[in-house]
Amino acid sequence: MDRTASAPRGGRLSLRPLAERPRCSIVIPCYNEERYIEDVLRCALQQRYPPELLEIFVVDGGSTDRTRELAGRVAAKDPRVTLLHNPDRIQAAAMNIGIRRARGEVIVRMDAHADYAGDYVAASVAALRRTGALNAGGAARPRHRNGFQRALCVALSSPLGVGGSAYRDPSREGFVESVFNGAFRREAFEIAGLYDPAAVTNEDAELNQRIIEAGGAVYLSREIVAYYYPRSSFAALARQYFAYGKGRARTLLCRRRFLSLRPALPFCMVTAFALLAVASALLPAVRPALALASLAYAALVIAESLRLARRASPRDFPLLCAIFPAVHAAHGLGFWAGLLRGARGGAGRREAERLPAP
């Protein structure tokens, strides 16, 4: 594979060279993750990277299960692990707490619901050095533990499920809008600012947008490998994508634009169907258009579900037919809810807090 990467369009930052083996700080935001916290800490501690150059912060949002107890046991045995408290609970605030404590030149985010390759940190550092990016990460590779998750993993491999998002494609390599989690040069937080502490969801995409707007770059590497576990039920999936939609709307209100139209596509679809439904109730002449649009959407969902079920398992077909509309509708409705909430609350562009330069 070509070991070089051409500069991203619009990149205008000149960064000092990054050491071959810089100190790295791993930040793990968590809340009620007793099922996963020991596994993610094992992944972090077993990284094939000089142990003396690693520090790990578990930032807990006041878990009510055994997460703090389990993380505390690991911290008591290994001085590289530090347990911190996040009074605001949400992930963005947790990341900021960890970043402020971090001494590393590279700050690596590891979410608890994921497994990480043994060279995850090393590959991230290599990508940052090779590309000059402020943030480097891999694709979001889903794994399943039950039948619903299996079908959902299949759906998330489809453009109909993720809208062509580059960071969902493990075969992609290059400069992108966002990546899964990410490893940041410390300068990213000095130049573009910390995470938005009030962002409940979409905090990663919003930060990456600020990095790009500030002249930095975000790089997706095939060699940075991590797997995550998606939601395990329809109810949890719908709640997640409704929250995603709200987060996307908040980002739009704060940043005044998207880097591409893709995040707004479910919102556009839901809006179009809602307008057609209202118009058809008032004007009978519009009803054929609503019926045609509904049939076209149903045909698209069924055709893509059949294609995926043939490739994976026929058992997944009914779930796939339900997952796509659930994801689209929840995201689109969440986007509307986010716009309305932002309009009432006066959401708008705000200056991000920056990490002080050394």
Side-chain angles (χ1 to χ4, degrees):
M1 188 183 74
D2 183 7
R3 302 297 297 180
T4 63
S6 58
R9 289 183 299 173
R12 55 186 184 273
L13 293 180
S14 178
L15 302 171
R16 59 179 174 77
L18 187 63
E20 183 177 358
R21 284 290 184 266
R23 176 180 288 276
C24 292
S25 302
I26 296 174
V27 181
I28 304 172
C30 63
Y31 175 73
N32 284 353
E33 298 288 1
E34 66 179 6
R35 293 179 58 195
Y36 298 94
I37 191 63
E38 290 179 301
D39 289 340
V40 71
L41 279 171
R42 189 177 302 111
C43 287
L45 290 168
Q46 293 178 355
Q47 286 294 303
R48 295 192 290 274
Y49 200 81
E52 68 276 10
L53 296 178
L54 276 182
E55 61 179 2
I56 301 163
F57 297 100
V58 178
V59 191
D60 180 77
S63 292
T64 57
D65 62 4
R66 298 177 63 231
T67 300
R68 290 183 60 84
E69 174 191 342
L70 297 173
R73 286 181 189 175
V74 178
K77 295 177 182 177
D78 196 313
R80 291 177 295 168
V81 179
T82 301
L83 179 61
L84 302 175
H85 176 58
N86 169 25
D88 295 319
R89 187 176 295 184
I90 63 176
Q91 290 185 322
M95 286 302 302
N96 288 344
I97 291 169
I99 291 164
R100 292 189 189 101
R101 284 285 299 268
R103 295 175 295 161
E105 297 171 74
V106 174
I107 298 169
V108 182
R109 175 171 176 168
M110 283 189 173
D111 283 354
H113 272 73
D115 294 327
Y116 301 86
D119 65 346
Y120 184 80
V121 171
S124 298
V125 169
L128 290 171
R129 283 172 45 82
R130 186 172 74 247
T131 65
L134 281 177
N135 181 19
R141 295 169 166 89
R143 273 182 172 169
H144 61 83
R145 289 179 171 174
N146 63 30
F148 180 83
Q149 285 180 325
R150 184 189 65 241
L152 181 54
C153 288
V154 175
L156 292 173
S157 71
S158 166
L160 187 61
V162 298
S165 177
Y167 85 96
R168 294 282 187 178
D169 184 353
S171 69
R172 293 282 292 272
E173 176 97 15
F175 294 101
V176 293
E177 295 177 9
S178 194
V179 292
F180 178 59
N181 287 344
F184 302 83
R185 290 188 56 149
R186 190 176 189 87
E187 294 94 328
F189 305 109
E190 298 168 3
I191 295 166
L194 298 170
Y195 283 84
D196 179 351
V200 178
T201 59
N202 203 52
E203 73 283 353
D204 47 358
E206 192 272 341
L207 173 58
N208 285 319
Q209 182 169 335
R210 277 191 276 121
I211 288 172
I212 293 169
E213 290 175 348
V218 178
Y219 193 81
L220 178 70
S221 172
R222 288 190 291 266
E223 298 183 15
I224 302 173
V225 177
Y227 299 88
Y228 78 101
Y229 296 94
R231 296 300 188 268
S232 58
S233 69
F234 267 113
L237 180 67
R239 287 194 299 269
Q240 179 187 35
Y241 273 81
F242 186 84
Y244 281 172
K246 290 175 65 177
R248 287 290 189 181
R250 189 176 189 279
T251 296
L252 178 61
L253 292 171
C254 291
R255 306 307 307 161
R256 304 294 174 84
R257 71 184 185 103
F258 284 136
L259 295 176
S260 69
L261 182 61
R262 178 183 54 78
L265 290 177
F267 164 75
C268 295
M269 185 200 76
V270 167
T271 302
F273 272 107
L275 290 174
L276 281 173
V278 171
S280 66
L282 300 174
L283 302 169
V286 180
R287 291 172 187 168
L290 175 61
L292 183 62
S294 301
L295 287 171
Y297 178 73
L300 178 63
V301 168
I302 292 170
E304 181 65 355
S305 298
L306 279 172
R307 183 185 74 84
L308 295 171
R310 288 195 190 103
R311 191 184 72 188
S313 169
R315 293 177 299 167
D316 294 333
F317 176 70
L319 280 174
L320 288 167
C321 287
I323 284 172
F324 288 125
V327 166
H328 297 157
H331 194 286
L333 291 171
F335 201 107
W336 262 116
L339 289 179
L340 294 173
R341 180 178 180 181
R344 290 196 305 269
R349 195 179 185 102
R350 56 178 62 86
E351 189 69 20
E353 177 191 352
R354 286 177 167 78
L355 196 67

